Amino acid sequence: MDINESHLQKVESHKQKIGELLLEHTSLTQEQLDEALQLQEEEHKLLGDILLTKNYIHPHDIIKVLCHQINIPYLDEIKVDEIDPMMVKDISINYAKQHNILPILESDYSVTLAMSDPFDFYAINDLTGIFKKKVHIVVSTPLRIQDAINRVYEKANQNLVDSIEDEFEENLDLDGPIDILDASADEAPVIRFVNSIIFRAVKERASDIHIEPYEKDVVYRFRINRVMTEILRQPKKTHSAVSSRIKVMAKLDIAEKRLPQDGRIKIKIAGKDIDIRLSTVPVQNGERIVMRVLEKTNTVLELEHLGFEGRVLQGLKDFSTKKHGVLYVTGPTGHGKTTTLFAVLDRMNTPDRMIITVEDPVEYEIAGISQIQVNSKIDLSFARALRAILRQNPDVVMVGETRDRETAEMAIQASLTGHFVLSTLHTNDASSAPTRLIDMGVQPFLISSSLVGVLAQRLVRVLCEHCKTETELSEYEMQMLDLETVPPTATIYKPVGCEKCTKSGYGGVTVVSELLVITDTIRNLILQKEDASKIKRAAIKEGMEPLAKSAINKIFLGITSVEEVLRAIISEADEDSESA
């Protein structure tokens, strides 16, 4: 319908009371309305203000009622996928956001505009002049319209998040400051800049992108092969635009800068599906942004390809044949625990077995395995999902993380009733896992009767095959590694750096690990609530190879370097022994 000043007269002449309309078109109850009317008589305030103060209605409820009074359609949802992005080619995004106005439908003779203020006649007249057609108005909330504007203009710029491919400029100069605030209506500079950062991260196989605002500039760092590397700095004034662009890609609230937010971005680069897990945290100088870059693949690496060997490899293969019990994989965040669990699951994934997983997020999509995504917004936690799937009578259950007593006890109970359960736990080594479960409140007899093994693992960088150079251990290195002699078959290398490895000396990562098999001896120690150090000593006597020894073997095989092992494993082991 046409919008003009006659609508104001309709509002004045409309006889139906606002209270009656709110009862009819919102969730307001008669009791709440009566209470508000009583307060109106006592305090002489507007009825709408009283209802809003009492949280009986929302601001958009007032808009909805107003639309009913003047016969303007109100939209609870704007279907962005049905909007032709070519309609906004002559309207700048700044103008659309300033006036909260967006064309959503165009025919030969008319155009429909979505607005938050149907009485913004200046904007209506402007768009009438642009389209030179009859104008119809629909109303929605400012938040819905702002979100629709962001997504439609993103389409108009041919930068759809779902297919960011061939849009990157590999030769874009990221080292110099880019004036991304000097953007035209399509905001191309900030879009091109963010795309290039993501492309570079994928190209360099970075696992994380860190964007850190400081007083005068913004630092961009990648985590490559577990090591943080600074890639560029940008002026502080650019951060707001970059932050907003990334939030738009993740469909987050761009106006909320005071609270942490989490989201996901799905893109495609060079035919590869990339899943980005986004986390924003407000800090002193702005919002700190971290993006975990995951390459979505249906291919699960075999245990041998991950770097497992010897007793650990055979132990994991043996566990994959068990019918019941609990297997934990421990280690810090980002050290491949989930990848290992899926390598074990892949060996167990046979037609005669039913496998269900509960994950946060689902990182690998595997045929033949039913996978559940944890969702905190609807209170779908690990424990709640585990409780539900046990009624599905699976043979194997994988729980992405054991975070609390409830999840731990349910996993143990599942194993005692004939299920094999795999999960992860945050401890520094394998022998600390039983004591960690006891600290959570799990009874020792439950742990000893259900736990079959604990795998602790770390990722260390692999030496670049193109530039590694043979070397010998110094006396200091022998002392730090607690070695008396070097095996005659050992060949030790050091990193050098070349073009192939971007001067780092390393290319890729491998796993070092220790496997605690729960024997009768270990089971008795758990029942007696012995500390982790006693459990570790007993396990080593029974043949367990500790993390440090596994890492040193990788040095002797020429896979990694002394420097890498000292950085990633030995220093950590020293800290643990000191704290013990």
Side-chain angles (χ1 to χ4, degrees):
M1 63 173 293
D2 293 323
I3 291 296
N4 51 50
E5 295 181 3
S6 65
H7 287 302
L8 296 176
Q9 298 172 1
K10 289 184 179 181
V11 174
E12 296 295 332
S13 61
H14 207 291
K15 299 301 182 183
Q16 191 174 10
K17 293 181 179 180
I18 188 171
E20 296 174 0
L21 288 168
L22 288 169
L23 284 175
E24 182 180 350
H25 297 285
T26 72
S27 60
L28 182 70
T29 66
Q30 184 65 54
E31 291 77 12
Q32 292 171 337
L33 177 60
D34 292 339
E35 179 186 347
L37 289 170
Q38 181 65 35
L39 288 173
Q40 185 184 33
E41 290 182 7
E42 297 171 0
E43 301 177 4
H44 304 289
K45 293 182 179 179
L46 292 175
L47 179 63
D49 290 342
I50 294 172
L51 292 170
L52 288 171
T53 302
K54 300 285 287 184
N55 290 324
Y56 290 158
I57 62 172
H58 299 284
H60 63 258
D61 290 329
I62 299 291
I63 299 174
K64 189 182 294 187
V65 168
L66 177 63
C67 290
H68 178 80
Q69 285 184 308
I70 58 179
N71 294 323
I72 296 178
Y74 179 87
L75 295 183
D76 286 314
E77 178 185 5
I78 299 176
K79 297 181 179 178
V80 176
D81 293 337
E82 297 177 8
I83 299 174
D84 182 1
M86 292 304 295
M87 285 192 293
V88 300
K89 60 183 176 60
D90 295 324
I91 307 167
S92 77
I93 189 171
N94 294 330
Y95 182 93
K97 288 183 175 181
Q98 180 183 351
H99 292 276
N100 266 329
I101 188 168
L102 179 70
I104 61 173
L105 182 63
E106 185 179 11
S107 67
D108 292 338
Y109 305 103
S110 66
V111 61
T112 301
L113 307 177
M115 306 180 67
S116 62
D117 179 8
F119 302 116
D120 187 350
F121 299 114
Y122 294 106
I124 294 170
N125 290 335
D126 288 343
L127 267 65
T128 301
I130 290 174
F131 288 98
K132 298 183 175 11
K133 294 179 179 180
K134 187 177 181 180
V135 169
H136 300 292
I137 300 299
V138 296
V139 174
S140 192
T141 64
L143 186 61
R144 289 195 186 100
I145 292 175
Q146 288 285 334
D147 179 65
I149 289 171
N150 289 328
R151 292 163 63 189
V152 170
Y153 277 83
E154 190 174 54
K155 281 187 184 181
N157 297 325
Q158 297 179 349
N159 282 288
L160 282 169
V161 173
D162 291 336
S163 58
I164 299 181
E165 190 171 17
D166 302 326
E167 294 291 330
F168 297 95
E169 295 183 23
E170 288 194 53
N171 298 322
L172 181 67
D173 180 15
L174 293 178
D175 296 323
I178 299 174
D179 190 5
I180 58 177
L181 296 183
D182 184 21
S184 58
D186 61 2
E187 294 185 326
V190 66
I191 294 172
R192 191 175 77 251
F193 176 78
V194 172
N195 288 352
S196 299
I197 291 291
I198 295 173
F199 176 78
R200 179 170 172 179
V202 173
K203 182 180 179 181
E204 297 184 13
R205 298 189 176 183
S207 60
D208 301 88
I209 303 170
H210 290 248
I211 304 175
E212 306 161 11
Y214 295 102
E215 184 178 0
K216 295 182 179 180
D217 55 13
V218 182
V219 177
Y220 291 75
R221 296 199 292 169
F222 289 168
R223 186 182 294 277
I224 303 173
N225 294 332
R226 304 299 311 149
V227 177
M228 294 289 284
T229 304
E230 182 177 324
I231 60 164
L232 74 150
R233 291 174 178 255
Q234 289 290 299
K236 176 68 182 301
K237 65 180 181 179
T238 65
H239 185 58
S240 178
V242 171
S243 173
S244 295
R245 169 60 185 169
I246 293 172
K247 285 182 178 180
V248 167
M249 295 175 74
K251 298 179 176 61
L252 299 181
D253 184 359
I254 62 173
E256 182 54 77
K257 300 181 179 180
R258 300 166 298 171
L259 296 174
Q261 295 190 73
D262 295 308
R264 299 179 75 172
I265 302 171
K266 294 182 180 181
I267 61 176
K268 181 171 285 189
I269 299 176
K272 296 179 180 179
D273 290 321
I274 307 297
D275 189 10
I276 297 175
R277 292 154 59 185
L278 173 67
S279 172
T280 71
V281 175
V283 294
Q284 183 177 2
N285 296 294
E287 285 184 286
R288 193 181 193 279
I289 298 173
V290 176
M291 293 184 279
R292 171 68 63 86
V293 182
L294 301 168
E295 183 178 332
K296 299 286 285 185
T297 175
N298 292 334
T299 303
V300 176
L301 293 176
E302 295 180 356
L303 291 168
E304 294 89 343
H305 295 159
L306 294 175
F308 292 104
E309 56 191 7
R311 183 177 180 271
V312 175
L313 176 61
Q314 187 57 49
L316 291 175
K317 288 181 177 180
D318 292 342
F319 287 141
S320 67
T321 64
K322 288 188 175 295
K323 301 296 183 183
H324 57 84
V326 181
L327 172 65
Y328 281 109
V329 179
T330 75
T333 300
H335 276 262
K337 298 188 296 295
T338 302
T339 302
T340 298
L341 284 179
F342 269 99
V344 176
L345 280 179
D346 190 51
R347 293 185 61 87
M348 307 178 80
N349 188 15
T350 56
D352 61 331
R353 276 179 170 170
M354 176 186 170
I355 303 175
I356 302 181
T357 71
V358 188
E359 305 169 60
D360 184 22
V362 174
E363 296 185 17
Y364 298 92
E365 296 179 8
I366 310 299
I369 298 178
S370 301
Q371 297 170 267
I372 300 173
Q373 167 76 56
V374 169
N375 190 340
S376 58
K377 293 181 180 178
I378 58 174
D379 196 28
L380 181 60
S381 62
F382 283 110
R384 187 172 184 179
L386 181 55
R387 187 182 300 111
I389 63 179
L390 289 178
R391 296 198 276 282
Q392 302 274 319
N393 193 28
D395 298 298
V396 180
V397 177
M398 195 273 273
V399 182
E401 185 178 344
T402 300
R403 297 176 178 172
D404 50 39
R405 174 182 173 180
E406 183 182 9
T407 306
E409 288 186 339
M410 289 195 64
I412 288 172
Q413 291 293 343
S415 73
L416 295 175
T417 54
H419 306 83
F420 190 76
V421 182
L422 304 96
S423 187
T424 66
L425 196 65
H426 285 290
T427 62
N428 289 328
D429 58 12
S431 55
S432 298
T435 56
R436 174 77 180 99
L437 292 170
I438 293 173
D439 290 341
M440 283 184 178
V442 182
Q443 293 297 324
F445 74 89
L446 290 175
I447 301 170
S448 63
S449 59
S450 61
L451 193 64
V452 296
V454 182
L455 173 74
Q457 68 177 57
R458 298 290 188 279
L459 295 180
V460 296
R461 292 182 291 175
V462 174
L463 285 162
C464 174
E465 290 293 335
H466 301 279
C467 63
K468 66 180 183 180
T469 302
E470 194 170 336
T471 186
E472 294 182 358
L473 292 180
S474 67
E475 186 177 339
Y476 170 76
E477 290 171 336
M478 293 281 287
Q479 183 180 352
M480 289 299 296
L481 296 174
D482 195 22
L483 291 174
E484 295 182 359
T485 59
V486 176
T489 57
T491 305
I492 299 168
Y493 294 90
K494 66 179 180 180
V496 177
C498 64
E499 295 298 329
K500 296 282 187 180
C501 60
T502 62
K503 302 295 184 181
S504 68
Y506 298 92
V509 292
T510 189
V511 68
V512 295
S513 58
E514 63 181 20
L515 181 62
L516 173 66
V517 178
I518 308 301
T519 62
D520 290 339
T521 302
I522 304 299
R523 194 170 287 113
N524 289 331
L525 292 174
I526 294 172
L527 283 170
Q528 297 168 23
K529 295 186 179 180
E530 296 289 358
D531 59 36
S533 60
K534 288 186 178 180
I535 294 175
K536 186 172 185 176
R537 286 196 294 270
I540 291 174
K541 283 183 180 179
E542 294 188 338
M544 184 184 82
E545 186 178 82
L547 275 171
K549 187 174 180 181
S550 173
I552 291 170
N553 287 340
K554 299 281 185 181
I555 296 175
F556 292 159
L557 293 171
I559 295 172
T560 191
S561 68
V562 176
E563 295 94 325
E564 178 65 7
V565 170
L566 291 176
R567 180 193 67 82
I569 306 295
I570 303 299
S571 59
E572 181 183 286
D574 291 341
E575 290 174 5
D576 292 342
S577 62
E578 288 174 8
S579 62

